[in-house]
Amino acid sequence: MIYSKEVQHMCVVAKGPNHGPAPIPEEGKWVKAKEIKDISGMTHGIGWCAPQQGACKLTLNVKEGIIEEALIETIGCSGMTHSAAMAAEILTGKTLLEALNTDLVCDAINTAMRELFLQIVYGRTQSAFSEGGLIIGAGLEDLGKGLRSQIATMFSTKAKGVRYLEMAEGYVTKIALDEDGEVCGYEFVRLGVMMDKIKKGVDANEALRQSTATYGRFTKEQGAVKHIDPRVE
């Protein structure tokens, strides 16, 4: 340690209070975190790339400073999906500090890691008040049946109006319009569920039928007067 001459000539003044860090909530406990191994929790972080072309939702489950589980969801950029594949292999097994200082390839994933780090070290995790934390694998609960990300894809123009393309329920195949020409319902396919059925040997057409459902006023009896394919019409 090198001190300047000014500091070397100073007299010593004793330090008084030393209360340590403020405790933060972690997995149902109040913890005074001094080292990375003192950090545990599961939470999410949202990031975006420099041109703001795409975004990432990053979920990490950290136990005693080590990343035990990672879920990476991206949207808006084809290259980002491949970066997510690399980041998924890179992240698990690293300490939280290592991950923060690791190039996760994509701006959006790196930004999500930064935002998530802030939540974890300040005791703002999803599992802050969950005794014992959340089990490894809890991140998959965000995906639901078929293990697919829940996304919404909508498109509209002033001239032609709105088109529902994908909802949390699934891939939209038809939009129902009422007598005023307004959307009153839609038909959708649960793609994850359909693929699971096909893998189990169900005929593809039958799997499609079993995985198709509707929402809102979709039938003629319910007030729908027209159905359109949002990707064609």
Side-chain angles (χ1 to χ4, degrees):
M1 191 74 68
I2 300 175
Y3 296 96
S4 68
K5 288 185 177 179
E6 289 80 5
V7 173
Q8 291 179 36
H9 287 91
M10 290 179 181
C11 64
V12 176
V13 176
K15 182 178 180 179
N18 184 15
H19 303 302
I24 60 175
E26 291 184 22
E27 301 188 337
K29 299 179 294 184
W30 289 94
V31 177
K32 289 189 174 183
K34 297 181 179 180
E35 302 177 36
I36 287 295
K37 66 180 179 64
D38 297 328
I39 300 293
S40 294
M42 176 178 171
T43 196
H44 316 283
I46 302 296
W48 55 93
C49 60
Q52 298 189 25
Q53 178 183 354
C56 169
K57 175 188 173 187
L58 176 62
T59 302
L60 296 184
N61 200 346
V62 179
K63 302 291 185 182
E64 297 180 351
I66 304 293
I67 297 171
E68 298 287 349
E69 174 188 7
L71 172 64
I72 304 161
E73 302 172 84
T74 63
I75 189 169
C77 172
S78 58
M80 194 180 291
T81 64
H82 294 78
S83 298
M86 297 177 68
E89 294 195 48
I90 292 170
L91 282 169
T92 50
K94 284 184 175 289
T95 68
L96 195 58
L97 187 58
E98 283 180 302
L100 186 65
N101 289 284
T102 296
D103 182 6
L104 299 174
V105 187
C106 166
D107 281 350
I109 304 175
N110 283 317
T111 303
M113 182 66 223
R114 180 194 70 196
E115 298 300 310
L116 186 149
F117 177 84
L118 294 174
Q119 289 186 47
I120 291 179
V121 297
Y122 285 119
R124 302 296 191 271
T125 66
Q126 181 180 325
S127 60
F129 298 101
S130 300
E131 187 173 352
L134 298 177
I135 62 171
I136 308 304
L140 295 179
E141 294 178 6
D142 283 356
L143 302 181
K145 292 181 179 179
L147 299 184
R148 296 188 76 245
S149 297
Q150 297 186 60
I151 60 174
T153 307
M154 311 295 162
F155 178 75
S156 68
T157 61
K158 179 181 178 182
K160 299 296 183 178
V162 71
R163 299 295 185 276
Y164 295 176
L165 301 174
E166 186 145 1
M167 294 280 197
E169 298 96 332
Y171 178 95
V172 178
T173 52
K174 293 179 182 178
I175 297 176
L177 305 180
D178 63 16
E179 60 183 8
D180 296 320
E182 298 179 0
V183 177
C184 61
Y186 52 89
E187 178 186 78
F188 60 90
V189 179
R190 299 183 179 95
L191 292 179
V193 173
M194 183 181 76
M195 292 305 299
D196 286 343
K197 290 180 181 293
I198 293 173
K199 286 188 290 184
K200 292 177 181 177
V202 178
D203 175 75
N205 288 322
E206 178 60 18
L208 175 61
R209 187 190 67 79
Q210 293 179 11
S211 305
T212 300
T214 63
Y215 181 85
R217 296 183 291 119
F218 189 79
T219 66
K220 182 178 180 180
E221 293 73 21
Q222 294 171 325
V225 299
K226 184 179 180 180
H227 298 101
I228 64 172
D229 183 334
R231 291 172 173 80
V232 177
E233 300 173 74

